[in-house]
Amino acid sequence: MNVLIIGSGAREHAMAWAAAKSDRVSSVFVAPGNGGTALMGGKVRNVPLKATDLDALLAFAAANAIELTVVGPEQPLELGIVDLFRRDGRKIVGPSQAAARLESSKVFAKEFMRRYAIPTAGYHVFTDAASADRYIESLPAESWPQVIKASGLCAGKGVIIALDRQQALEASYAMFDDRIFGDAADEVVFEDFLKGQEASVFALTDGARYRLFLSAQDHKRIGDGDTGKNTGGMGAYAPAPLVSAEVMRKVEERVIVPTLKGMAEEGYPYTGFLYVGLMIDALGDPYVVEYNARLGDPETQVVLPLLKSDLVAALQASVEGTLDTVEFEMHAKSATTIVIASGGYPDHYDSGKPVTIDDEVYQLQECMVFHAGTAFEGDRLVTAGGRVFSVTALGDTLKESIDRAYQAVPNISFEGAYYRKDIGAKGL
Ligand code: AMP
Ligand code: GLY
Protein backbone atom coordinates (compact mmCIF):
# COMPACT_ATOMS: atom_id res chain seq x y z
CA MET A 1 0.00 0.00 0.00
CA ASN A 2 0.94 3.66 -0.34
CA VAL A 3 1.67 5.76 2.73
CA LEU A 4 1.85 9.56 2.97
CA ILE A 5 3.91 11.18 5.74
CA ILE A 6 3.41 14.89 6.34
CA GLY A 7 6.31 17.03 7.59
CA SER A 8 9.92 17.91 6.88
CA GLY A 9 12.03 17.21 9.94
CA ALA A 10 14.10 14.37 11.35
CA ARG A 11 10.92 13.03 12.96
CA GLU A 12 9.39 12.53 9.52
CA HIS A 13 12.67 11.07 8.16
CA ALA A 14 12.56 8.52 11.00
CA MET A 15 8.88 7.80 10.26
CA ALA A 16 9.68 7.29 6.56
CA TRP A 17 12.58 4.99 7.48
CA ALA A 18 10.33 2.90 9.75
CA ALA A 19 7.48 2.81 7.21
CA ALA A 20 9.77 1.75 4.37
CA LYS A 21 10.82 -1.34 6.39
CA SER A 22 7.24 -2.62 6.38
CA ASP A 23 6.47 -5.49 3.97
CA ARG A 24 2.97 -4.18 3.47
CA VAL A 25 4.21 -0.83 2.12
CA SER A 26 5.01 -0.30 -1.55
CA SER A 27 5.49 3.50 -1.59
CA VAL A 28 6.20 6.14 1.04
CA PHE A 29 5.56 9.74 0.01
CA VAL A 30 6.89 12.50 2.27
CA ALA A 31 5.35 15.97 1.96
CA PRO A 32 7.48 17.99 1.71
CA GLY A 33 10.31 15.89 3.24
CA ASN A 34 13.94 17.04 3.26
CA GLY A 35 17.35 16.21 1.81
CA GLY A 36 17.47 13.01 3.86
CA THR A 37 14.16 11.62 2.63
CA ALA A 38 15.18 12.67 -0.92
CA LEU A 39 18.32 10.53 -0.58
CA MET A 40 16.52 7.41 0.69
CA GLY A 41 15.48 6.09 -2.69
CA GLY A 42 13.73 2.73 -2.90
CA LYS A 43 10.15 3.12 -1.78
CA VAL A 44 10.58 6.69 -0.51
CA ARG A 45 9.92 9.87 -2.47
CA ASN A 46 9.43 13.53 -1.62
CA VAL A 47 6.34 15.43 -2.75
CA PRO A 48 6.72 19.22 -2.96
CA LEU A 49 3.62 20.09 -0.90
CA LYS A 50 3.60 22.18 2.24
CA ALA A 51 2.46 20.51 5.49
CA THR A 52 -0.16 23.26 5.89
CA ASP A 53 -1.61 23.07 2.36
CA LEU A 54 -4.42 20.76 3.42
CA ASP A 55 -6.43 20.83 0.19
CA ALA A 56 -3.38 19.98 -1.92
CA LEU A 57 -2.46 17.14 0.45
CA LEU A 58 -5.97 15.69 0.23
CA ALA A 59 -5.95 15.95 -3.57
CA PHE A 60 -2.56 14.22 -3.65
CA ALA A 61 -3.80 11.41 -1.40
CA ALA A 62 -6.83 10.88 -3.62
CA ALA A 63 -4.82 10.92 -6.86
CA ASN A 64 -2.13 8.53 -5.58
CA ALA A 65 -4.23 5.87 -3.86
CA ILE A 66 -2.83 6.72 -0.44
CA GLU A 67 -4.23 4.22 2.05
CA LEU A 68 -2.70 5.68 5.18
CA THR A 69 -1.59 9.22 6.03
CA VAL A 70 0.56 10.03 9.05
CA VAL A 71 0.82 13.60 10.36
CA GLY A 72 4.18 14.60 11.87
CA PRO A 73 3.91 18.22 13.07
CA GLU A 74 1.23 20.07 15.04
CA GLN A 75 0.22 22.84 12.60
CA PRO A 76 -1.81 20.68 10.17
CA LEU A 77 -3.53 19.04 13.16
CA GLU A 78 -4.54 22.42 14.55
CA LEU A 79 -5.81 23.35 11.07
CA GLY A 80 -8.04 20.26 11.03
CA ILE A 81 -6.33 17.95 8.54
CA VAL A 82 -7.66 14.85 10.28
CA ASP A 83 -11.28 16.04 10.05
CA LEU A 84 -10.77 16.92 6.37
CA PHE A 85 -9.31 13.53 5.44
CA ARG A 86 -11.93 11.62 7.45
CA ARG A 87 -14.79 13.50 5.80
CA ASP A 88 -13.34 12.24 2.53
CA GLY A 89 -13.24 8.66 3.88
CA ARG A 90 -9.43 8.57 4.14
CA LYS A 91 -7.47 6.82 6.86
CA ILE A 92 -5.21 9.20 8.74
CA VAL A 93 -3.23 8.94 11.99
CA GLY A 94 -3.71 11.95 14.25
CA PRO A 95 -6.28 13.69 16.45
CA SER A 96 -9.21 15.76 15.16
CA GLN A 97 -8.97 19.54 15.42
CA ALA A 98 -11.08 19.48 18.59
CA ALA A 99 -8.92 16.78 20.18
CA ALA A 100 -5.66 18.45 19.11
CA ARG A 101 -6.57 21.31 21.47
CA LEU A 102 -4.75 19.29 24.13
CA GLU A 103 -1.67 20.80 22.46
CA SER A 104 -2.96 23.84 20.56
CA SER A 105 -4.63 25.44 23.60
CA LYS A 106 -2.86 25.26 26.94
CA VAL A 107 -5.98 26.75 28.54
CA PHE A 108 -8.08 23.90 27.14
CA ALA A 109 -5.52 21.36 28.37
CA LYS A 110 -5.34 22.83 31.88
CA GLU A 111 -9.12 23.07 32.26
CA PHE A 112 -9.49 19.53 30.92
CA MET A 113 -6.98 18.22 33.46
CA ARG A 114 -8.80 20.07 36.25
CA ARG A 115 -12.13 18.51 35.18
CA TYR A 116 -10.65 14.99 35.32
CA ALA A 117 -8.30 15.46 38.31
CA ILE A 118 -5.25 14.66 36.18
CA PRO A 119 -2.15 15.69 38.16
CA THR A 120 -0.61 18.93 36.85
CA ALA A 121 0.66 22.25 38.23
CA GLY A 122 -1.89 24.67 39.76
CA TYR A 123 -2.69 27.58 37.42
CA HIS A 124 -4.55 30.79 36.65
CA VAL A 125 -5.56 32.13 33.23
CA PHE A 126 -5.49 35.82 32.20
CA THR A 127 -6.61 37.63 29.07
CA ASP A 128 -5.39 41.14 29.94
CA ALA A 129 -2.31 42.71 31.49
CA ALA A 130 -4.13 44.53 34.31
CA SER A 131 -5.59 41.34 35.83
CA ALA A 132 -2.34 39.44 35.35
CA ASP A 133 -0.40 42.22 37.06
CA ARG A 134 -2.84 42.32 40.01
CA TYR A 135 -2.33 38.55 40.38
CA ILE A 136 1.47 38.95 40.22
CA GLU A 137 1.38 41.63 42.93
CA SER A 138 -0.79 39.41 45.15
CA LEU A 139 1.52 36.38 45.11
CA PRO A 140 3.34 35.59 48.36
CA ALA A 141 7.09 34.85 48.44
CA GLU A 142 6.62 31.06 48.42
CA SER A 143 4.76 31.22 45.06
CA TRP A 144 7.92 31.87 43.05
CA PRO A 145 9.06 30.90 40.48
CA GLN A 146 5.97 31.11 38.25
CA VAL A 147 5.84 29.55 34.80
CA ILE A 148 4.16 31.90 32.32
CA LYS A 149 2.87 30.39 29.09
CA ALA A 150 1.22 31.66 25.94
CA SER A 151 -1.82 29.42 25.46
CA GLY A 152 -1.44 28.92 21.69
CA LEU A 153 1.16 27.19 19.53
CA CYS A 154 4.63 28.82 19.69
CA ALA A 155 7.00 26.11 18.37
CA GLY A 156 7.94 25.28 21.97
CA LYS A 157 9.12 28.82 22.66
CA GLY A 158 6.08 30.38 24.40
CA VAL A 159 7.18 29.67 27.97
CA ILE A 160 8.91 32.08 30.39
CA ILE A 161 10.04 31.02 33.85
CA ALA A 162 9.79 34.11 36.08
CA LEU A 163 11.92 33.89 39.22
CA ASP A 164 10.33 36.90 40.90
CA ARG A 165 7.67 39.61 40.67
CA GLN A 166 9.80 41.86 38.46
CA GLN A 167 10.44 39.14 35.87
CA ALA A 168 6.76 38.19 35.88
CA LEU A 169 5.68 41.78 35.24
CA GLU A 170 8.16 41.94 32.36
CA ALA A 171 6.81 38.67 30.93
CA SER A 172 3.24 39.95 31.24
CA TYR A 173 4.23 43.17 29.46
CA ALA A 174 6.07 41.25 26.71
CA MET A 175 3.10 38.96 26.04
CA PHE A 176 0.12 41.35 26.43
CA ASP A 177 1.59 44.71 25.34
CA ASP A 178 4.59 43.90 23.12
CA ARG A 179 2.77 40.81 21.82
CA ILE A 180 6.02 38.89 21.36
CA PHE A 181 4.01 35.69 20.81
CA GLY A 182 1.26 37.39 18.79
CA ASP A 183 -2.26 35.94 19.06
CA ALA A 184 -0.88 32.81 20.75
CA ALA A 185 -0.72 34.94 23.93
CA ASP A 186 -4.31 36.28 23.80
CA GLU A 187 -4.73 33.94 26.76
CA VAL A 188 -1.81 33.50 29.17
CA VAL A 189 -1.47 30.73 31.74
CA PHE A 190 0.38 31.27 35.03
CA GLU A 191 1.49 27.94 36.48
CA ASP A 192 3.06 26.94 39.76
CA PHE A 193 6.59 25.67 39.36
CA LEU A 194 6.96 21.90 39.49
CA LYS A 195 10.15 20.37 40.92
CA GLY A 196 11.56 17.11 39.68
CA GLN A 197 12.92 15.52 36.53
CA GLU A 198 11.31 15.63 33.10
CA ALA A 199 10.52 12.67 30.89
CA SER A 200 8.07 11.95 28.11
CA VAL A 201 5.73 9.09 27.42
CA PHE A 202 4.18 8.36 24.01
CA ALA A 203 1.05 6.40 23.25
CA LEU A 204 -0.64 5.35 20.02
CA THR A 205 -4.40 5.29 20.51
CA ASP A 206 -7.65 4.70 18.66
CA GLY A 207 -9.62 6.72 21.21
CA ALA A 208 -10.20 3.90 23.68
CA ARG A 209 -7.40 1.36 23.36
CA TYR A 210 -3.75 2.43 23.45
CA ARG A 211 -0.24 1.00 23.17
CA LEU A 212 2.86 2.54 24.72
CA PHE A 213 6.19 3.28 23.11
CA LEU A 214 9.30 3.48 25.31
CA SER A 215 9.72 6.58 27.47
CA ALA A 216 12.30 9.18 26.45
CA GLN A 217 14.13 12.21 27.74
CA ASP A 218 14.71 15.28 25.60
CA HIS A 219 17.43 17.94 26.08
CA LYS A 220 15.71 21.26 25.41
CA ARG A 221 18.43 23.76 26.20
CA ILE A 222 21.10 24.75 23.69
CA GLY A 223 24.08 24.36 26.04
CA ASP A 224 25.79 21.50 27.88
CA GLY A 225 24.52 20.98 31.42
CA ASP A 226 21.04 22.21 30.36
CA THR A 227 22.12 25.85 30.10
CA GLY A 228 21.15 28.66 27.73
CA LYS A 229 18.09 29.11 25.58
CA ASN A 230 15.29 26.68 24.91
CA THR A 231 15.36 24.95 21.52
CA GLY A 232 13.14 22.44 19.75
CA GLY A 233 15.36 19.74 21.34
CA MET A 234 19.10 19.09 21.02
CA GLY A 235 19.11 15.34 21.62
CA ALA A 236 17.24 12.55 23.32
CA TYR A 237 17.58 9.04 24.63
CA ALA A 238 15.25 6.16 25.35
CA PRO A 239 14.19 4.42 27.44
CA ALA A 240 14.44 6.90 30.35
CA PRO A 241 15.53 4.95 33.48
CA LEU A 242 13.59 7.56 35.46
CA VAL A 243 10.36 6.08 34.10
CA SER A 244 10.47 2.75 35.94
CA ALA A 245 7.69 0.19 35.49
CA GLU A 246 6.10 1.61 38.65
CA VAL A 247 6.20 5.20 37.35
CA MET A 248 4.81 4.06 33.99
CA ARG A 249 1.95 2.32 35.78
CA LYS A 250 1.12 5.59 37.59
CA VAL A 251 1.29 7.51 34.29
CA GLU A 252 -1.16 5.10 32.69
CA GLU A 253 -3.56 5.07 35.63
CA ARG A 254 -3.45 8.78 36.51
CA VAL A 255 -2.87 10.39 33.09
CA ILE A 256 -3.36 8.27 29.99
CA VAL A 257 -6.51 6.37 30.96
CA PRO A 258 -8.38 9.43 32.34
CA THR A 259 -7.25 11.54 29.37
CA LEU A 260 -8.67 9.12 26.80
CA LYS A 261 -11.81 8.56 28.85
CA GLY A 262 -12.38 12.29 29.37
CA MET A 263 -11.84 13.21 25.74
CA ALA A 264 -14.25 10.48 24.62
CA GLU A 265 -16.86 11.53 27.20
CA GLU A 266 -16.72 15.11 26.02
CA GLY A 267 -17.38 14.05 22.45
CA TYR A 268 -13.97 14.37 20.84
CA PRO A 269 -12.24 11.01 21.26
CA TYR A 270 -8.47 11.42 21.06
CA THR A 271 -6.86 9.38 18.28
CA GLY A 272 -3.31 9.15 16.93
CA PHE A 273 -0.13 9.79 18.88
CA LEU A 274 -0.41 11.24 22.37
CA TYR A 275 2.77 12.77 23.81
CA VAL A 276 2.68 13.37 27.55
CA GLY A 277 5.47 15.61 28.88
CA LEU A 278 5.89 14.90 32.58
CA MET A 279 7.62 16.14 35.68
CA ILE A 280 8.39 13.21 37.98
CA ASP A 281 8.81 14.32 41.59
CA ALA A 282 11.08 12.85 44.27
CA LEU A 283 8.38 10.32 45.23
CA GLY A 284 8.07 9.07 41.65
CA ASP A 285 4.70 10.77 41.18
CA PRO A 286 4.06 12.14 37.65
CA TYR A 287 2.61 15.59 36.87
CA VAL A 288 1.68 16.67 33.34
CA VAL A 289 3.81 19.59 32.08
CA GLU A 290 2.26 19.52 28.63
CA TYR A 291 0.41 17.39 26.15
CA ASN A 292 1.46 17.26 22.51
CA ALA A 293 -0.84 15.92 19.84
CA ARG A 294 1.98 14.20 17.91
CA LEU A 295 5.28 12.44 18.42
CA GLY A 296 8.21 14.53 19.67
CA ASP A 297 11.21 15.68 17.71
CA PRO A 298 13.95 14.53 18.53
CA GLU A 299 12.26 11.83 20.67
CA THR A 300 10.87 10.03 17.60
CA GLN A 301 14.42 9.47 16.39
CA VAL A 302 15.05 7.24 19.43
CA VAL A 303 11.58 5.83 20.00
CA LEU A 304 10.93 4.48 16.47
CA PRO A 305 14.32 2.75 16.01
CA LEU A 306 13.53 0.86 19.25
CA LEU A 307 10.21 -0.42 17.86
CA LYS A 308 10.86 -3.99 16.79
CA SER A 309 7.46 -4.74 15.28
CA ASP A 310 5.97 -3.21 12.13
CA LEU A 311 5.08 0.47 12.63
CA VAL A 312 2.66 0.58 9.71
CA ALA A 313 0.78 -2.48 10.94
CA ALA A 314 0.27 -0.73 14.29
CA LEU A 315 -0.81 2.53 12.64
CA GLN A 316 -3.30 0.65 10.47
CA ALA A 317 -4.63 -1.14 13.54
CA SER A 318 -5.07 2.21 15.26
CA VAL A 319 -7.31 3.52 12.49
CA GLU A 320 -9.18 0.21 12.18
CA GLY A 321 -9.89 -0.28 15.90
CA THR A 322 -7.75 -3.41 16.31
CA LEU A 323 -4.95 -1.89 18.34
CA ASP A 324 -5.41 -4.41 21.15
CA THR A 325 -4.45 -7.37 18.97
CA VAL A 326 -1.64 -5.95 16.83
CA GLU A 327 1.97 -6.87 17.57
CA PHE A 328 3.70 -3.96 19.32
CA GLU A 329 7.13 -5.01 20.47
CA MET A 330 10.25 -3.08 21.48
CA HIS A 331 13.92 -3.99 21.22
CA ALA A 332 15.56 -4.61 24.60
CA LYS A 333 18.12 -1.90 23.79
CA SER A 334 18.77 1.78 24.32
CA ALA A 335 18.96 4.55 21.75
CA THR A 336 20.54 7.99 21.75
CA THR A 337 20.14 10.75 19.17
CA ILE A 338 22.35 13.82 18.89
CA VAL A 339 21.11 16.88 17.05
CA ILE A 340 23.63 18.77 14.93
CA ALA A 341 22.45 22.38 14.63
CA SER A 342 23.44 25.44 12.60
CA GLY A 343 25.75 27.86 14.41
CA GLY A 344 23.64 30.56 16.08
CA TYR A 345 20.51 28.42 16.55
CA PRO A 346 18.06 28.99 18.28
CA ASP A 347 18.70 32.65 17.37
CA HIS A 348 19.73 33.78 13.90
CA TYR A 349 21.60 31.24 11.77
CA ASP A 350 22.52 30.98 8.09
CA SER A 351 21.23 28.29 5.74
CA GLY A 352 22.66 27.04 2.46
CA LYS A 353 25.97 25.76 3.91
CA PRO A 354 27.31 22.78 1.93
CA VAL A 355 27.23 19.52 3.91
CA THR A 356 29.68 16.62 3.73
CA ILE A 357 28.74 13.19 4.99
CA ASP A 358 31.57 10.69 5.24
CA ASP A 359 30.47 7.33 3.80
CA GLU A 360 32.04 5.63 6.80
CA VAL A 361 29.10 6.72 8.93
CA TYR A 362 26.87 4.28 7.05
CA GLN A 363 29.18 1.37 8.03
CA LEU A 364 28.87 2.07 11.75
CA GLN A 365 26.90 -0.46 13.74
CA GLU A 366 23.23 0.29 14.46
CA CYS A 367 23.63 3.91 13.48
CA MET A 368 21.12 6.05 11.55
CA VAL A 369 21.62 9.51 10.12
CA PHE A 370 18.28 11.34 10.10
CA HIS A 371 18.18 14.71 8.36
CA ALA A 372 16.34 17.50 10.18
CA GLY A 373 16.95 20.54 7.97
CA THR A 374 18.74 19.80 4.72
CA ALA A 375 17.85 20.40 1.09
CA PHE A 376 19.33 19.88 -2.35
CA GLU A 377 20.54 22.87 -4.35
CA GLY A 378 20.96 21.15 -7.68
CA ASP A 379 22.90 18.04 -6.68
CA ARG A 380 24.56 19.66 -3.67
CA LEU A 381 23.29 18.89 -0.16
CA VAL A 382 23.05 22.06 1.94
CA THR A 383 21.77 23.09 5.37
CA ALA A 384 18.19 24.36 5.41
CA GLY A 385 17.20 24.83 9.03
CA GLY A 386 18.23 25.44 12.64
CA ARG A 387 18.40 21.76 13.44
CA VAL A 388 20.20 20.07 10.55
CA PHE A 389 20.75 16.40 11.54
CA SER A 390 19.70 13.98 14.22
CA VAL A 391 22.21 11.14 14.48
CA THR A 392 20.87 8.05 16.25
CA ALA A 393 22.65 4.95 17.49
CA LEU A 394 21.37 1.89 19.33
CA GLY A 395 23.30 -0.05 21.96
CA ASP A 396 22.80 -2.84 24.44
CA THR A 397 23.18 -0.21 27.15
CA LEU A 398 22.53 3.52 27.22
CA LYS A 399 26.29 4.09 27.54
CA GLU A 400 26.96 2.04 24.40
CA SER A 401 24.32 3.93 22.41
CA ILE A 402 25.75 7.30 23.54
CA ASP A 403 29.31 6.27 22.60
CA ARG A 404 28.21 4.99 19.19
CA ALA A 405 26.24 8.14 18.42
CA TYR A 406 29.17 10.38 19.36
CA GLN A 407 31.46 8.25 17.22
CA ALA A 408 29.19 8.88 14.24
CA VAL A 409 28.69 12.64 14.61
CA PRO A 410 32.16 13.80 13.42
CA ASN A 411 31.48 12.12 10.06
CA ILE A 412 29.06 14.94 9.28
CA SER A 413 30.40 18.42 8.70
CA PHE A 414 29.31 21.85 7.59
CA GLU A 415 30.45 25.35 8.51
CA GLY A 416 29.26 26.33 11.99
CA ALA A 417 27.98 22.87 12.97
CA TYR A 418 27.18 22.72 16.68
CA TYR A 419 26.09 19.90 18.97
CA ARG A 420 25.90 19.22 22.69
CA LYS A 421 28.56 16.97 24.20
CA ASP A 422 26.46 15.62 27.09
CA ILE A 423 23.40 14.04 25.48
CA GLY A 424 22.24 11.07 27.55
CA ALA A 425 24.63 11.77 30.45
CA LYS A 426 21.78 12.46 32.85
CA GLY A 427 20.41 8.97 32.22
CA LEU A 428 23.62 7.20 33.23
P1 AMP B 1 6.04 23.45 27.79
O1 AMP B 1 6.12 24.15 26.46
O2 AMP B 1 4.76 23.62 28.50
O3 AMP B 1 6.52 22.03 27.73
O4 AMP B 1 7.20 24.14 28.69
C1 AMP B 1 8.53 24.17 28.26
C2 AMP B 1 9.46 23.78 29.38
O5 AMP B 1 9.28 24.68 30.50
C3 AMP B 1 9.20 22.40 29.96
O6 AMP B 1 9.84 21.40 29.24
C4 AMP B 1 9.75 22.55 31.36
O7 AMP B 1 11.16 22.41 31.36
C5 AMP B 1 9.41 23.96 31.72
N1 AMP B 1 8.12 23.99 32.44
C6 AMP B 1 6.90 24.13 31.89
N2 AMP B 1 5.93 24.13 32.83
C7 AMP B 1 6.57 23.98 34.01
C8 AMP B 1 6.12 23.92 35.37
N3 AMP B 1 4.84 24.05 35.72
N4 AMP B 1 7.07 23.75 36.33
C9 AMP B 1 8.38 23.67 36.02
N5 AMP B 1 8.85 23.73 34.77
C10 AMP B 1 7.97 23.88 33.76
N1 GLY C 1 10.98 17.69 21.69
C1 GLY C 1 9.86 18.39 22.13
C2 GLY C 1 8.74 18.41 21.18
O1 GLY C 1 8.73 17.73 20.17
O2 GLY C 1 7.78 19.11 21.46
Side-chain angles (χ1 to χ4, degrees), residues 325-363:
T325 56
V326 75
E327 192 190 1
F328 203 69
E329 209 190 317
M330 306 296 152
H331 290 291
K333 289 178 184 258
S334 286
T336 299
T337 195
I338 297 157
V339 169
I340 310 179
S342 295
Y345 174 81
D347 295 323
H348 175 80
Y349 58 84
D350 291 321
S351 289
K353 307 277 183 200
V355 175
T356 336
I357 307 179
D358 225 320
D359 276 343
E360 255 168 64
V361 76
Y362 300 112
Q363 313 310 320

Side-chain angles (χ1 to χ4, degrees), residues 11 218 220 232-233 275 290 292 294-299:
R11 167 181 48 210
D218 187 7
K220 291 195 187 191
Y275 167 141
E290 61 168 345
N292 289 319
R294 51 180 171 81
L295 286 182
D297 187 345
E299 295 92 326

